[in-house]
Amino acid sequence: DQITVAVWLCPDLVERREVRQVAVDTAMGISYGCSYSWPIGEGPQDAPTAEIVLQVNRERFYRFCAGLYGER
């Protein structure tokens, strides 16, 4: 989505991030593909970690996107 790309291109849009343990449900069923995260030490012992973006600067994000589409 647009936020993912914007944060990748302009990481200073991030106001709050957290490293967490993560997992993705790969069992076929209603929750297939769902992602889960836990604070470090509270998830499954072998769960990898990832940096999770929790908040972006909304106004700067809108300006960033508008700039990409030629609006000033």
Side-chain angles (χ1 to χ4, degrees), residues 13-60:
L13 292 172
V14 177
E15 291 186 333
R16 197 168 120 226
R17 65 185 84 210
E18 195 173 289
V19 175
R20 297 176 64 98
Q21 289 180 283
V22 296
V24 176
D25 189 347
T26 58
M28 294 306 277
I30 196 163
S31 62
Y32 179 77
C34 288
S35 58
Y36 304 94
S37 73
W38 301 269
I40 300 295
E42 293 184 23
Q45 187 174 4
D46 61 344
T49 60
E51 186 176 82
I52 309 297
V53 174
L54 300 171
Q55 183 175 341
V56 297
N57 183 303
R58 189 177 297 178
E59 182 61 34
R60 290 187 62 225

